[in-house]
Amino acid sequence: MTSNDMNLVAAEGFQKAANVYEQARPSYASEAIELIKSLYDKPDIIIDLGAGTGKLTRLLGPVGAREVVAIEPVLSMREKLKNIPLITKILDGTAEHIPFDDHTIDMIISGQAFHWFANHRALTEFHRVLKPNGLLILLWNSTDDGGKQWAENIEKYIGSFKPTDTPRYKTMEWKQVFENQNLFSSLQHRQFSHKQRATRDLTMKRILSTSFIATLPPEQQANLIDEVRKILENAEELQGVQEFDIDHVTNIYWCSPMNSSS
């Protein structure tokens, strides 16, 4: 891997945030895993690209692959992957440099990550390693505020700290790489709702797991958490409540390699 391949905010932020990421990030909707299973019968090798702490990887058992390879460039996150028996191999790597031979991979799956490497070099590398009948599958969890004013206020406040050049899923700018290219078929899309049981403490950790928040100086993080705590304290529907549900949507996109001559 080359150091230039990874966004600096992601590299620094996730290196610092691995613990809270594992503790506070939500899992994925079970229906999304069932969909992945239905898309490909008995894959031989699947790659979880940008595997993070294994939030998605640990769910892939039902897919039935002989090998589950986790590729993750952040050291502190790779350490978390060692706790997942399902994984057959853990590799330090990036989307632009996947250490496999041509046309040897059945599925590349990426959860909560593709927006960081949505570029033509990555698509070209995916096309190189995927079998002709392979699949590229992209997943993201996003919060569904559902009209909850406190959740909208927190989202808006956290977003105010985002550097203008930091990619995020919700901008949909990552989709642009699939335009005017002949490497992959058109994206197909499904979404599934699910809930995460949360506490105020877990909500704080979830915020601290955000890449651009994790890079802030400690005193600025403390001030930010104080402001979020005030928002939660002032939320009428959370008065006297210790636990509450956070609504999420798992969005799943998939496409197939196209023939090089097409």
Side-chain angles (χ1 to χ4, degrees):
M1 139 184 165
T2 64
S3 59
N4 292 333
D5 285 339
M6 194 173 181
N7 181 284
L8 293 179
V9 172
E12 180 184 354
F14 292 134
Q15 176 65 26
K16 294 179 176 179
N19 285 333
V20 288
Y21 193 106
E22 174 62 16
Q23 293 168 15
R25 289 290 180 116
S27 186
Y28 293 84
S30 58
E31 294 92 340
I33 306 304
E34 287 300 313
L35 176 58
I36 294 174
K37 181 181 177 182
S38 73
L39 291 174
Y40 200 110
D41 184 35
K42 297 179 181 178
D44 187 38
I45 304 174
I46 60 178
I47 289 175
D48 184 0
L49 183 62
T53 64
K55 286 286 182 176
L56 175 60
T57 330
R58 60 170 56 91
L59 303 178
L60 297 176
V63 178
R66 181 179 62 84
E67 288 192 47
V68 176
V69 179
I71 297 180
E72 171 53 51
V74 177
L75 175 60
S76 62
M77 289 193 155
R78 284 201 306 276
E79 290 299 311
K80 302 293 184 186
L81 295 171
K82 295 178 181 178
N83 299 322
I84 303 174
L86 175 69
I87 300 174
T88 55
K89 189 178 296 182
I90 300 170
L91 299 175
D92 176 4
T94 62
E96 295 85 358
H97 296 90
I98 299 175
F100 281 87
D101 293 336
D102 295 359
H103 311 309
T104 53
I105 305 302
D106 297 279
M107 304 169 75
I108 295 175
I109 305 175
S110 184
Q112 221 72 20
F114 181 75
H115 55 283
W116 290 110
F117 42 80
N119 60 69
H120 189 74
R121 286 193 302 140
L123 282 194
T124 301
E125 184 71 342
F126 300 164
H127 190 274
R128 180 187 70 78
V129 300
L130 279 170
K131 295 177 181 178
N133 64 336
L135 282 176
L136 172 63
I137 302 176
L138 312 174
L139 298 92
W140 285 272
N141 276 319
S142 55
T143 54
D144 181 7
D145 295 337
K148 296 176 181 175
Q149 191 60 51
W150 62 268
E152 293 177 9
N153 290 344
I154 290 175
E155 179 67 23
K156 183 177 180 180
Y157 178 60
I158 298 305
S160 70
F161 290 87
K162 185 185 83 69
T164 56
D165 59 346
T166 298
R168 299 193 83 183
Y169 162 72
K170 62 185 62 179
T171 67
M172 294 296 162
E173 292 177 2
W174 59 271
K175 279 188 172 182
Q176 294 175 7
V177 74
F178 288 99
E179 300 172 1
N180 302 315
Q181 52 83 31
N182 61 359
L183 296 172
F184 286 89
S185 61
S186 299
L187 286 172
Q188 299 185 68
H189 174 233
R190 291 282 304 277
Q191 63 177 204
F192 304 98
S193 298
H194 64 114
K195 297 179 183 294
Q196 179 188 25
R197 198 65 174 164
T199 62
R200 287 165 178 77
D201 181 60
L202 192 73
T203 302
M204 304 306 175
K205 289 180 177 179
R206 167 64 185 88
I207 291 167
L208 292 172
S209 77
T210 305
S211 59
F212 55 85
I213 301 300
T215 61
L216 295 175
E219 62 273 15
Q220 194 170 0
Q221 288 185 3
N223 292 335
L224 180 152
I225 290 302
D226 284 342
E227 289 299 317
V228 173
R229 187 172 285 112
K230 291 176 184 176
I231 294 174
L232 292 173
E233 289 174 351
N234 292 328
E236 185 175 346
E237 65 185 277
L238 298 182
Q239 298 299 314
V241 174
Q242 298 302 313
E243 295 186 352
F244 47 91
D245 286 330
I246 297 179
D247 295 318
H248 294 279
V249 174
T250 296
N251 285 279
I252 177 168
Y253 303 80
W254 68 98
C255 57
S256 302
M258 296 172 65
N259 293 334
S260 300
S261 58
S262 60

